[in-house]
Each structure stands twice: as C-alpha cells, then as structure tokens.
Amino acid sequence: MFESLISFVREQYGTNEFIPLHAPLFQGREREYVADTIESTFVSSVGAYVDRFERDMAAYTGSPRAVAVVNGTAALHVALKLAGVQPGELVITQPLTFVATCNAIAYCGAEPVFIDVDRDTLGLSAVALAQWLDEHARLDTDGQCRTKADGKLVRACVPMHTFGHPADIDGLVSVCAQWNLALVEDAAESLGSLYKGRHTGTFGLLGTLSFNGNKVITTGGGGMVLAGEALGARAKHLTTTAKIPHPYEYVHDEVGYNYRLPNLNAALGCAQLEMLDSFVQAKRELAERYAEHFRGSELSFLTEPEECRSNYWLNAVICQDGSQRDALLKATNESGVMTRPIWALMNRLAFHANARAGALPNAHWLEERVVNIPSSVIPGLCR
Ligand SMILES: *Cc1c(COP(=O)(O)O)cnc(C)c1O
C-alpha cells in the first residue's frame, strides 16, 4: 500500500540502494578549508575559522553575536545558565522534542515542565502555556513567576522549532513577557527558517543551533549560541574556560566550560554555511514535490506555518492512526527507504516520569502519528 511512496522517493534520489533519512552533502569548499587548518597546524580550540564561522553566522542570522561551541546540547546548557537558570528552578518546554532540550535543563539542576504543542507547528503552544501559567503560577511582588502550590521559581521557557517549522513565536514572546520568563529558543533544527522574515533563534533572549551530522549543515559536531552583545560576550567567556584575556598568564575568574568548537570543525562549518541557502532552496523544492505527491492521499504532509519560511530540515507526514503509522514504518524500512517515528514524549522517559506537565492532547496525538521521511538535499536540486 505504500509502494507509490517508496517508488516516489527512489525516483527523487535516483537510486535503488538504501536511502537514509538525512545525509550531509559536501560539494563546496569543505576540503579546501579543512586542509587549510591542517597546513596551518591550527586544528584545535583557537583559529581563524572559529572567528570567521561566528562572524558569518551572526551576519547570516542577523544575530548581534554568535558563539561557536562543541555541540547543540552544550549551546543549550550555556544559554540556560546565561538566562539565569539555577538549581531547583523550573523551566518550561515541550514534551515533543529531542532529549537534548531536557538534558540541558537537567544539567542546570532545574526541572522541566512539559506543556503541549500546537498541531500545525509541532512547537510549544502559546495558548497551552498561558493556560498552565494562569492555573498554576502567580507573579510575585518581586516580579518573579512562581508556582502557586509550592512557590518554585519558573525561570525560563524553551520552545523548539520542530523539523525546521517555526513555532508560534509572537504568541510565545508575548506570554513570556507577561510572566517574566526568559525565552530561549532551541533552534537546533531550524537554521535558515524564517518567522515573519526574521531568523528563528533571534527572537528570544538567547537561541541555540546544532551542526550535528544530521542537521541542515554540519561541522561534524558543533553548535552555536545566538545572543545580543552582552550575553554573547558572556557566552564566549563561559565557553572558553572563563580565562581573563592576557598574552601569557592563565587566570580564570569563574568556573568555565571547555565548550570551544575546534578550528577544524569550524572550517567545515564555514564551507557548509556558504551552501546553506542552496540547501534550503533544494529542500524546499523536495518538500513541494512531497506535498504534490501526498495531495489527496490518506497521509497528510506537514507544511510550513503561515507567514513562515521553513528550511524543511526533516519532512514529515501525519498518519491517520497508530496502526497505519506502524505499517508505513515497516513497509518503507523493509524496502531500504529509511523512515522514523517522531520521538517518544519526554514525559514518558523514566527519568522524567514524575515531571510536572500540563494536559498534552496534541503531543499524544502527534506522537502516535508522525513519521519522518527521507529529506537529504538532492544534489541535482542545488543551485
Ligand atoms: C540536534 C538537536 C539538539 C542538539 O544536538 P547536538 O547533537 O548536541 O548538537 C538539540 N535540540 C534538538 C531539538 C535537536 O534536534
């Protein structure tokens, strides 16, 4: 019953071999830049490509500062620290995300609160967020948001732009402002996606990116913190061992992290960033073809929200129910066309079993139905 999908995907990629969900593509200046770091011997934690990658990313996204780090999880960890998250505090996020979002909250000693997502964006729902806060929180005389039941401080809110589709940013910005919550965008999946013409990751107090091997561009492993000038400078300091600048002395003014992105990886990143616009354009072309293929079918293809330009990092379909989803996963994977169900909800993981959560009807509905389908850039569509 999924034969037409399988042959459609094979046609797009022009192969009878295994088709992965998302493979990186290196057809720009990657080899040249990486070889350059080896020739210069500057392969490690300082080097010209790190500075250039940060400058280029700031210019691309329109963020005042961009600070390169070892991976997206580290970027989230530092962003939450800089948002002021302290042990024992609460951080609101969505249960429908990759585990890294919640791990970063745990690294800060904070507790996640899981709030439902919207069905059209798969991102944190501003309406569900406002409802939960109205019911469970109050604004104290000191202006801080605390839970009514046990007086826990609610410090921050971390929406995630799922599969590259921007969440309801205007709604979230407004609820966070009203409740004095620091907005930290997990934009790991959405580099190149725009919300009302502006890059995701630049709306919150801080935003984070990932350049893992499966993301829209890769540095092998890597991440970035997007922030304003002051927090950006703090992020750079904290992620580079908190060393006080000096020509030869080693003095550090706080417990810092060695989260520096090696120059070798940054070189790959500079070359990949040069390709990003053509990657996004090629991914959008593939998404258009998928949308056409699924028109009138039982599977509903996930398209970008209104007033957004999505990078279509991972294409996704919504099945009618769980048994159709299982049949789709079985048929495609057995035919060498890789597909994958969406993540198990974070509140189902054993170590979050007792976490606070609002009602999660949409997250549960989507968890049972969403499947990712092959989404690698098709080289022939790259212009
Ligand atoms: C990829 C990803 C991250 C970061 O992952 P790293 O592998 O640490 O770079 C964080 N959040 C989400 C939602 C992701 O998809």
Side-chain angles (χ1 to χ4, degrees):
M1 119 156 240
F2 300 106
E3 269 86 54
S4 77
L5 171 59
I6 292 163
S7 56
F8 174 80
V9 173
R10 291 212 169 281
E11 239 170 72
Q12 301 310 308
Y13 288 98
T15 176
N16 288 319
E17 309 279 301
F18 173 75
I19 297 174
L21 205 58
H22 202 285
L25 184 62
F26 305 112
Q27 57 175 27
R29 303 180 73 179
E30 289 85 357
R31 282 164 191 82
E32 177 191 337
Y33 292 174
V34 169
D36 195 26
T37 68
I38 294 171
E39 269 150 40
S40 73
T41 76
F42 282 87
V43 294
S44 193
S45 48
V46 287
Y49 283 105
V50 175
D51 300 336
R52 175 170 158 189
F53 191 36
E54 292 181 339
R55 272 199 318 272
D56 290 355
M57 189 61 76
Y60 182 83
T61 57
S63 175
R65 284 289 297 261
V67 176
V69 294
V70 281
N71 56 52
T73 313
L76 275 166
H77 180 200
V78 165
L80 290 174
K81 294 256 328 166
L82 292 178
V85 176
Q86 305 283 329
E89 296 181 350
L90 303 183
V91 175
I92 295 173
T93 191
Q94 57 198 67
L96 196 77
T97 186
F98 176 58
V99 72
T101 318
C102 303
N103 284 346
I105 295 170
Y107 299 165
C108 294
E111 283 174 40
V113 180
F114 297 115
I115 300 296
D116 208 10
V117 294
D118 287 323
R119 272 201 202 179
D120 55 340
T121 66
L122 276 53
L124 188 66
S125 162
V127 173
L129 175 66
Q131 266 170 10
W132 188 87
L133 289 164
D134 280 335
E135 197 174 324
H136 296 279
R138 60 181 152 80
L139 267 185
D140 270 349
T141 45
D142 62 358
Q144 303 280 26
C145 176
R146 290 193 177 78
T147 55
K148 288 177 189 166
D150 53 4
K152 286 252 188 187
L153 204 141
V154 190
R155 178 69 71 182
C157 174
V158 189
M160 197 276 283
H161 304 298
T162 308
F163 305 148
H165 300 302
D168 170 15
I169 298 179
D170 279 352
L172 294 167
V173 164
S174 141
V175 177
C176 287
Q178 188 192 336
W179 287 89
N180 195 18
L181 304 178
L183 179 62
V184 177
E185 294 173 76
D186 183 347
E189 305 183 350
S190 64
L191 175 60
S193 297
L194 306 177
Y195 178 87
K196 297 188 177 173
R198 192 167 135 192
H199 282 270
T200 55
T202 66
F203 291 84
L205 184 64
L206 297 127
T208 62
L209 305 173
S210 166
F211 313 117
N212 190 40
N214 64 345
K215 295 302 201 293
V216 62
I217 63 168
T218 187
T219 57
M224 197 82 89
V225 177
L226 303 179
E229 289 294 345
L231 279 177
R234 283 280 301 136
K236 188 70 186 175
H237 186 66
L238 205 57
T239 55
T240 55
T241 72
K243 183 178 178 293
I244 297 172
H246 190 281
Y248 44 84
E249 280 176 11
Y250 277 86
V251 181
H252 308 259
D253 61 0
E254 63 186 307
V255 176
Y257 298 87
N258 179 10
Y259 279 174
R260 296 172 293 199
L261 182 72
N263 201 42
L264 192 71
N265 301 78
L268 196 60
C270 287
Q272 286 267 286
L273 186 50
E274 291 174 354
M275 304 302 293
L276 179 55
D277 278 334
S278 64
F279 285 178
V280 170
Q281 177 250 312
K283 291 170 82 66
R284 292 177 59 78
E285 172 75 35
L286 174 62
E288 239 173 72
R289 293 181 182 183
Y290 270 131
E292 183 60 35
H293 173 80
F294 288 114
R295 203 155 286 149
S297 125
E298 286 186 356
L299 304 176
S300 137
F301 181 70
L302 199 74
T303 54
E304 64 195 355
E306 270 174 43
E307 296 187 84
C308 293
R309 182 193 76 169
S310 175
N311 68 2
Y312 282 94
W313 170 56
L314 280 190
N315 292 295
V317 291
I318 303 179
C319 299
Q320 290 181 321
D321 54 35
S323 64
Q324 186 180 50
R325 180 211 43 195
D326 293 343
L328 170 62
L329 287 168
K330 189 165 185 297
T332 48
N333 284 295
E334 281 179 0
S335 308
V337 170
M338 186 175 171
T339 61
R340 198 177 61 185
I342 200 166
W343 315 279
L345 300 184
M346 292 300 111
N347 53 301
R348 283 191 200 287
L349 303 181
F351 46 95
H352 290 309
N354 299 318
R356 292 165 208 243
L360 305 172
N362 292 339
H364 285 286
W365 190 87
L366 291 162
E367 182 193 32
E368 206 188 331
R369 290 170 177 78
V370 175
V371 172
N372 289 122
I373 54 181
S375 303
S376 309
V377 169
I378 296 171
L381 293 182
C382 250
R383 262 171 260 134

